[in-house]
Amino acid sequence: MKTKKHHLSLVVLAGGLGSRFGGNKQIAEITGLGCTIMELSIADAVAAGVTQVVLVINQAVRSEIEHVILPRLPVGIEVVLVEQRIDLVPEQFQALVQQREKPWGTGHALLCAKEHVHNPAIVITADDYYGASSFLLLAEHFKTLTSWAMVGYPIIDTLSDQGGVNRGVCQVKNNQLVDVVEYLNIQNENGQIMGDNPQGIREQIAADALGSMSFWAITPALFDSLEAGFLAFLQKYDNGVRLEYYLPDQIQHAITSNQQIVTIYTAKESWYGVTYKSELQDVTGKLYELRHG
């Protein structure tokens, strides 16, 4: 069967298990709107020109997505469901599967979508709301450029009142992403943004720093890199450690090795995400207000 050509796809990474949230937050409905955060993002993406949506899910939520969420999605788009399973590894690494409980990570999740994405794509996570204007930024990017891109959000606007958060802090030069440095337990302390750097040292983060909230614009060239990187990851994998294969690490490798440049855009509106279950009511209230004024 001939593969339908799309100008722009959306890949939604919804396969992770929300351990801190305490359940499958991908399918938590927004009170008053009767839909999930993921559905709002899909609607924004379709309005920006996306014609294909690939949902990377786990088996636990498949039935509810098929019977509840899919019928509510915009008409006229192609929707593909892909399961991220622990056993989706090359034959020579099947022994590792027996020791694995959690999914392999966001890099593996996107790799699961490889056979369905043959054109530029926007990649998001299911439990983050990025704002309609952010999808428009990346759709416009691909009208003139073939490089990868991302939308960064001011770190200060992504903090939580419920506790510290982990964020990738962007290092930027000439509107291009140079590096993403992972800081842990970021909080506002006495008017300063503080976080633990990769060496475990607590330090101040610049007030105007942008954070990577997993909002990427990629081309199919990334899939070959993901495949090679996953093989290397499995070869080094230690069963005694619950390591994950992260998408940002592979994008960073492409930057460092001069395979790709990643243009960075600054978000024009707020990001909303749910890390802790206690945040759901507050976030849903803000999203309801955003949609209804």
Side-chain angles (χ1 to χ4, degrees):
M1 188 175 72
K2 188 177 180 181
T3 302
K4 184 178 179 181
K5 178 66 176 176
H6 297 276
H7 292 295
L8 186 62
S9 297
L10 175 71
V11 181
V12 183
L13 306 182
L17 302 175
S19 56
R20 281 178 292 177
F21 181 80
N24 284 302
K25 56 182 175 176
Q26 301 94 333
I27 55 175
E29 282 198 1
I30 303 165
T31 305
L33 292 184
C35 66
T36 62
I37 291 178
M38 174 174 65
E39 289 170 75
L40 294 181
S41 292
I42 291 172
D44 288 342
V46 171
V50 162
T51 56
Q52 181 197 40
V53 176
V54 181
L55 301 177
V56 183
I57 63 172
N58 65 62
Q59 190 177 32
V61 300
R62 185 179 188 108
S63 178
E64 183 158 358
I65 286 177
E66 286 182 333
H67 294 98
V68 178
I69 294 178
L70 291 191
R72 299 194 300 228
L73 295 184
V75 297
I77 60 171
E78 179 187 1
V79 180
V80 180
L81 291 186
V82 178
E83 282 190 28
Q84 180 187 16
R85 303 198 318 268
I86 294 173
D87 63 351
L88 290 179
V89 298
E91 185 65 35
Q92 65 268 38
F93 298 106
Q94 284 295 319
L96 297 179
V97 173
Q98 308 306 318
Q99 307 295 325
R100 188 80 188 182
E101 295 180 2
K102 291 182 66 176
W104 289 106
T106 52
H108 178 256
L110 181 54
L111 183 56
C112 291
K114 177 182 178 180
E115 66 179 272
H116 302 288
V117 180
H118 308 285
N119 42 265
I122 296 171
V123 181
I124 67 170
T125 56
D127 45 9
D128 293 313
Y129 180 75
Y130 299 97
S133 61
S134 294
F135 289 94
L136 289 170
L137 283 171
L138 295 187
E140 285 298 315
H141 170 86
F142 278 130
K143 287 181 180 178
T144 56
L145 298 168
T146 57
S147 59
W148 300 348
M150 69 166 289
V151 176
Y153 291 76
I155 288 284
I156 195 168
D157 295 335
T158 71
L159 303 183
S160 171
D161 294 332
Q162 305 297 324
V165 296
N166 304 336
R167 297 283 182 260
V169 178
C170 300
Q171 314 294 316
V172 183
K173 183 178 181 181
N174 298 327
N175 295 320
Q176 293 180 7
L177 183 64
V178 176
D179 195 7
V180 177
V181 180
E182 188 75 15
Y183 280 77
L184 306 180
N185 194 28
I186 302 174
Q187 298 186 66
N188 194 326
E189 299 175 1
N190 301 316
Q192 294 183 328
I193 306 174
M194 303 295 292
D196 299 335
N197 70 16
Q199 290 71 46
I201 300 170
R202 196 151 187 82
E203 64 182 19
Q204 186 177 355
I205 298 170
D208 61 351
L210 294 177
S212 170
M213 309 310 295
S214 301
F215 193 70
W216 303 100
I218 60 105
T219 63
L222 176 57
F223 289 109
D224 290 338
S225 298
L226 284 175
E227 209 157 41
F230 191 49
L231 284 173
F233 170 85
L234 292 172
Q235 287 165 353
K236 298 176 183 176
Y237 181 70
D238 178 356
N239 281 322
V241 181
R242 289 165 56 175
L243 299 176
E244 290 190 41
Y245 181 60
Y246 292 116
L247 173 59
D249 291 341
Q250 302 314 304
I251 291 177
Q252 184 61 50
H253 175 71
I255 294 171
T256 305
S257 59
N258 295 315
Q259 297 176 40
Q260 282 283 344
I261 62 169
V262 177
T263 304
I264 186 164
Y265 298 93
T266 300
K268 297 179 180 179
E269 56 188 295
S270 297
W271 165 92
Y272 297 104
V274 180
T275 301
Y276 303 93
K277 203 161 193 171
S278 54
E279 294 175 309
L280 182 60
Q281 184 174 350
D282 182 50
V283 168
T284 55
K286 289 176 180 176
L287 290 175
Y288 180 85
E289 185 178 334
L290 188 68
R291 291 287 175 164
H292 288 283

